[in-house]
Short mmCIF file of all heavy atoms in Angstrom, two decimals:
data_model
loop_
_atom_site.label_atom_id
_atom_site.label_comp_id
_atom_site.label_asym_id
_atom_site.label_seq_id
_atom_site.Cartn_x
_atom_site.Cartn_y
_atom_site.Cartn_z
N LEU A 1 158.77 -6.57 -35.74
CA LEU A 1 159.18 -7.15 -37.01
C LEU A 1 158.12 -6.90 -38.08
O LEU A 1 158.44 -6.46 -39.19
CB LEU A 1 159.42 -8.66 -36.86
CG LEU A 1 159.71 -9.42 -38.16
CD1 LEU A 1 161.02 -8.94 -38.79
CD2 LEU A 1 159.75 -10.91 -37.89
N LEU A 2 156.87 -7.16 -37.77
CA LEU A 2 155.80 -6.92 -38.73
C LEU A 2 155.76 -5.46 -39.15
O LEU A 2 155.62 -5.15 -40.33
CB LEU A 2 154.45 -7.32 -38.13
CG LEU A 2 154.10 -8.79 -38.22
CD1 LEU A 2 152.94 -9.12 -37.29
CD2 LEU A 2 153.77 -9.17 -39.65
N HIS A 3 155.90 -4.57 -38.19
CA HIS A 3 155.89 -3.14 -38.51
C HIS A 3 157.06 -2.80 -39.44
O HIS A 3 156.88 -2.08 -40.42
CB HIS A 3 155.94 -2.30 -37.24
CG HIS A 3 155.93 -0.85 -37.53
ND1 HIS A 3 154.80 -0.18 -37.95
CD2 HIS A 3 156.92 0.07 -37.51
CE1 HIS A 3 155.10 1.08 -38.15
NE2 HIS A 3 156.37 1.26 -37.89
N ALA A 4 158.24 -3.33 -39.14
CA ALA A 4 159.41 -3.05 -39.97
C ALA A 4 159.21 -3.59 -41.39
O ALA A 4 159.52 -2.91 -42.37
CB ALA A 4 160.67 -3.66 -39.35
N VAL A 5 158.67 -4.78 -41.51
CA VAL A 5 158.43 -5.37 -42.83
C VAL A 5 157.43 -4.52 -43.60
O VAL A 5 157.61 -4.26 -44.79
CB VAL A 5 157.94 -6.83 -42.70
CG1 VAL A 5 157.35 -7.34 -43.99
CG2 VAL A 5 159.07 -7.74 -42.23
N GLU A 6 156.39 -4.07 -42.92
CA GLU A 6 155.35 -3.29 -43.58
C GLU A 6 155.81 -1.89 -43.95
O GLU A 6 155.37 -1.34 -44.96
CB GLU A 6 154.10 -3.23 -42.70
CG GLU A 6 153.41 -4.57 -42.59
CD GLU A 6 152.32 -4.62 -41.53
OE1 GLU A 6 152.25 -3.69 -40.68
OE2 GLU A 6 151.55 -5.59 -41.54
N THR A 7 156.70 -1.30 -43.18
CA THR A 7 157.12 0.07 -43.45
C THR A 7 158.42 0.16 -44.24
O THR A 7 158.57 1.03 -45.09
CB THR A 7 157.25 0.89 -42.15
OG1 THR A 7 158.20 0.26 -41.29
CG2 THR A 7 155.91 1.04 -41.46
N GLU A 8 159.36 -0.72 -43.96
CA GLU A 8 160.65 -0.68 -44.63
C GLU A 8 160.69 -1.59 -45.85
O GLU A 8 161.39 -1.32 -46.82
CB GLU A 8 161.77 -1.08 -43.66
CG GLU A 8 161.89 -0.15 -42.48
CD GLU A 8 162.85 -0.68 -41.43
OE1 GLU A 8 163.82 -1.37 -41.80
OE2 GLU A 8 162.60 -0.42 -40.25
N GLY A 9 159.98 -2.70 -45.74
CA GLY A 9 159.93 -3.66 -46.84
C GLY A 9 161.19 -4.49 -46.96
O GLY A 9 162.25 -4.16 -46.44
N ILE A 10 161.04 -5.61 -47.63
CA ILE A 10 162.14 -6.49 -47.99
C ILE A 10 161.90 -6.82 -49.46
O ILE A 10 160.79 -7.22 -49.83
CB ILE A 10 162.13 -7.79 -47.16
CG1 ILE A 10 162.42 -7.50 -45.69
CG2 ILE A 10 163.13 -8.80 -47.72
CD1 ILE A 10 162.30 -8.73 -44.79
N GLN A 11 162.91 -6.66 -50.26
CA GLN A 11 162.76 -6.96 -51.69
C GLN A 11 162.26 -8.39 -51.87
O GLN A 11 162.82 -9.33 -51.30
CB GLN A 11 164.08 -6.76 -52.41
CG GLN A 11 163.94 -6.91 -53.91
CD GLN A 11 165.20 -6.54 -54.64
OE1 GLN A 11 166.19 -6.11 -54.05
NE2 GLN A 11 165.19 -6.72 -55.95
N GLY A 12 161.19 -8.55 -52.65
CA GLY A 12 160.63 -9.86 -52.89
C GLY A 12 159.65 -10.33 -51.82
O GLY A 12 159.10 -11.41 -51.90
N PHE A 13 159.45 -9.52 -50.79
CA PHE A 13 158.57 -9.88 -49.67
C PHE A 13 157.30 -9.05 -49.80
O PHE A 13 157.20 -7.96 -49.24
CB PHE A 13 159.29 -9.59 -48.35
CG PHE A 13 158.74 -10.33 -47.16
CD1 PHE A 13 159.27 -11.56 -46.81
CD2 PHE A 13 157.72 -9.82 -46.40
CE1 PHE A 13 158.79 -12.25 -45.70
CE2 PHE A 13 157.23 -10.49 -45.30
CZ PHE A 13 157.77 -11.72 -44.96
N GLY A 14 156.34 -9.56 -50.54
CA GLY A 14 155.12 -8.81 -50.82
C GLY A 14 154.02 -9.09 -49.82
O GLY A 14 154.24 -9.62 -48.72
N ALA A 15 152.83 -8.74 -50.24
CA ALA A 15 151.66 -8.85 -49.36
C ALA A 15 151.39 -10.29 -48.93
O ALA A 15 150.97 -10.53 -47.78
CB ALA A 15 150.44 -8.26 -50.06
N THR A 16 151.63 -11.24 -49.81
CA THR A 16 151.37 -12.65 -49.46
C THR A 16 152.31 -13.11 -48.35
O THR A 16 151.87 -13.73 -47.38
CB THR A 16 151.54 -13.55 -50.70
OG1 THR A 16 150.63 -13.12 -51.71
CG2 THR A 16 151.27 -15.00 -50.37
N TYR A 17 153.59 -12.80 -48.47
CA TYR A 17 154.56 -13.17 -47.43
C TYR A 17 154.26 -12.43 -46.13
O TYR A 17 154.40 -12.99 -45.04
CB TYR A 17 155.99 -12.89 -47.87
CG TYR A 17 156.56 -13.88 -48.84
CD1 TYR A 17 157.67 -13.55 -49.61
CD2 TYR A 17 156.03 -15.16 -49.00
CE1 TYR A 17 158.23 -14.45 -50.51
CE2 TYR A 17 156.57 -16.06 -49.89
CZ TYR A 17 157.68 -15.70 -50.64
OH TYR A 17 158.22 -16.59 -51.52
N THR A 18 153.87 -11.16 -46.24
CA THR A 18 153.54 -10.39 -45.03
C THR A 18 152.36 -11.03 -44.31
O THR A 18 152.36 -11.15 -43.08
CB THR A 18 153.25 -8.92 -45.39
OG1 THR A 18 154.40 -8.36 -46.03
CG2 THR A 18 152.93 -8.09 -44.15
N ALA A 19 151.36 -11.45 -45.07
CA ALA A 19 150.20 -12.12 -44.46
C ALA A 19 150.62 -13.44 -43.80
O ALA A 19 150.14 -13.77 -42.71
CB ALA A 19 149.13 -12.37 -45.52
N LYS A 20 151.53 -14.17 -44.45
CA LYS A 20 152.03 -15.43 -43.85
C LYS A 20 152.80 -15.15 -42.57
O LYS A 20 152.69 -15.88 -41.59
CB LYS A 20 152.91 -16.18 -44.85
CG LYS A 20 152.13 -16.83 -45.96
CD LYS A 20 153.05 -17.59 -46.89
CE LYS A 20 152.26 -18.23 -48.01
NZ LYS A 20 153.08 -19.07 -48.87
N LEU A 21 153.58 -14.08 -42.57
CA LEU A 21 154.34 -13.71 -41.37
C LEU A 21 153.39 -13.33 -40.25
O LEU A 21 153.56 -13.75 -39.10
CB LEU A 21 155.30 -12.55 -41.68
CG LEU A 21 156.09 -12.02 -40.50
CD1 LEU A 21 156.99 -13.10 -39.89
CD2 LEU A 21 156.93 -10.82 -40.94
N ARG A 22 152.37 -12.55 -40.56
CA ARG A 22 151.39 -12.15 -39.53
C ARG A 22 150.68 -13.39 -38.98
O ARG A 22 150.51 -13.53 -37.77
CB ARG A 22 150.37 -11.17 -40.11
CG ARG A 22 149.34 -10.72 -39.08
CD ARG A 22 148.47 -9.60 -39.59
NE ARG A 22 149.23 -8.41 -39.90
CZ ARG A 22 149.66 -7.53 -38.99
NH1 ARG A 22 149.40 -7.72 -37.71
NH2 ARG A 22 150.35 -6.47 -39.36
N GLU A 23 150.29 -14.30 -39.85
CA GLU A 23 149.62 -15.52 -39.41
C GLU A 23 150.54 -16.35 -38.52
O GLU A 23 150.12 -16.86 -37.48
CB GLU A 23 149.18 -16.34 -40.62
CG GLU A 23 148.45 -17.61 -40.24
CD GLU A 23 148.01 -18.42 -41.45
OE1 GLU A 23 148.48 -18.17 -42.58
OE2 GLU A 23 147.19 -19.33 -41.25
N LEU A 24 151.80 -16.49 -38.92
CA LEU A 24 152.78 -17.22 -38.12
C LEU A 24 152.92 -16.59 -36.74
O LEU A 24 152.94 -17.28 -35.72
CB LEU A 24 154.13 -17.25 -38.84
CG LEU A 24 155.29 -17.89 -38.10
CD1 LEU A 24 155.09 -19.40 -37.99
CD2 LEU A 24 156.60 -17.61 -38.83
N ALA A 25 153.00 -15.26 -36.70
CA ALA A 25 153.14 -14.55 -35.42
C ALA A 25 151.90 -14.73 -34.55
O ALA A 25 152.01 -14.94 -33.34
CB ALA A 25 153.41 -13.08 -35.68
N GLU A 26 150.74 -14.66 -35.17
CA GLU A 26 149.50 -14.80 -34.39
C GLU A 26 149.32 -16.23 -33.88
O GLU A 26 149.06 -16.45 -32.70
CB GLU A 26 148.30 -14.40 -35.25
CG GLU A 26 148.22 -12.91 -35.48
CD GLU A 26 147.12 -12.50 -36.45
OE1 GLU A 26 146.49 -13.39 -37.07
OE2 GLU A 26 146.91 -11.29 -36.60
N LEU A 27 149.48 -17.21 -34.78
CA LEU A 27 149.28 -18.61 -34.38
C LEU A 27 150.35 -19.09 -33.40
O LEU A 27 150.08 -19.94 -32.56
CB LEU A 27 149.26 -19.51 -35.61
CG LEU A 27 148.07 -19.31 -36.56
CD1 LEU A 27 148.21 -20.19 -37.78
CD2 LEU A 27 146.75 -19.56 -35.84
N GLY A 28 151.55 -18.53 -33.53
CA GLY A 28 152.62 -18.92 -32.63
C GLY A 28 152.57 -18.23 -31.28
O GLY A 28 153.40 -18.49 -30.40
N GLY A 29 151.61 -17.33 -31.11
CA GLY A 29 151.48 -16.62 -29.84
C GLY A 29 152.53 -15.55 -29.63
O GLY A 29 152.82 -15.16 -28.50
N PHE A 30 153.11 -15.05 -30.72
CA PHE A 30 154.15 -14.04 -30.61
C PHE A 30 153.60 -12.62 -30.54
O PHE A 30 154.34 -11.68 -30.30
CB PHE A 30 155.13 -14.15 -31.78
CG PHE A 30 155.88 -15.45 -31.81
CD1 PHE A 30 155.61 -16.40 -32.78
CD2 PHE A 30 156.84 -15.73 -30.85
CE1 PHE A 30 156.29 -17.60 -32.80
CE2 PHE A 30 157.52 -16.93 -30.86
CZ PHE A 30 157.24 -17.87 -31.84
N LEU A 31 152.30 -12.47 -30.77
CA LEU A 31 151.67 -11.16 -30.67
C LEU A 31 150.76 -11.17 -29.45
O LEU A 31 150.07 -12.15 -29.19
CB LEU A 31 150.83 -10.86 -31.93
CG LEU A 31 151.61 -10.74 -33.23
CD1 LEU A 31 150.64 -10.53 -34.39
CD2 LEU A 31 152.61 -9.62 -33.16
N PRO A 32 150.72 -10.07 -28.72
CA PRO A 32 149.85 -10.02 -27.55
C PRO A 32 148.39 -10.19 -27.97
O PRO A 32 147.94 -9.53 -28.91
CB PRO A 32 150.11 -8.65 -26.94
CG PRO A 32 150.90 -7.89 -27.92
CD PRO A 32 151.44 -8.84 -28.93
N ASP A 33 147.70 -11.08 -27.34
CA ASP A 33 146.29 -11.34 -27.62
C ASP A 33 146.04 -11.65 -29.10
O ASP A 33 144.96 -11.40 -29.61
CB ASP A 33 145.41 -10.16 -27.21
CG ASP A 33 145.53 -9.86 -25.73
OD1 ASP A 33 145.66 -10.81 -24.94
OD2 ASP A 33 145.51 -8.69 -25.38
N GLY A 34 147.06 -12.13 -29.81
CA GLY A 34 146.88 -12.50 -31.20
C GLY A 34 146.67 -11.34 -32.14
O GLY A 34 146.20 -11.50 -33.25
N ARG A 35 147.02 -10.11 -31.72
CA ARG A 35 146.85 -8.96 -32.60
C ARG A 35 148.07 -8.06 -32.50
O ARG A 35 148.84 -8.12 -31.55
CB ARG A 35 145.58 -8.20 -32.26
CG ARG A 35 145.52 -7.73 -30.84
CD ARG A 35 144.14 -7.12 -30.51
NE ARG A 35 143.95 -7.13 -29.09
CZ ARG A 35 144.55 -6.32 -28.23
NH1 ARG A 35 145.38 -5.41 -28.66
NH2 ARG A 35 144.33 -6.41 -26.94
#
């Protein structure tokens, strides 16, 4: 999902939202080893 957002983009979904999504994924344990 992060890769798709970063490469394909979503209108209105800029760097701040991408950072929030990455943080949510890391804190929620959705990424292996938090990365």
Side-chain angles (χ1 to χ4, degrees):
L1 174 64
L2 277 165
H3 180 74
V5 165
E6 291 170 346
T7 58
E8 298 171 32
I10 294 175
Q11 186 173 357
F13 200 92
T16 301
Y17 283 161
T18 301
K20 286 181 180 185
L21 177 61
R22 180 172 298 281
E23 181 180 15
L24 176 69
E26 288 174 353
L27 294 176
F30 297 109
L31 296 177
D33 300 324
R35 57 187 159 74

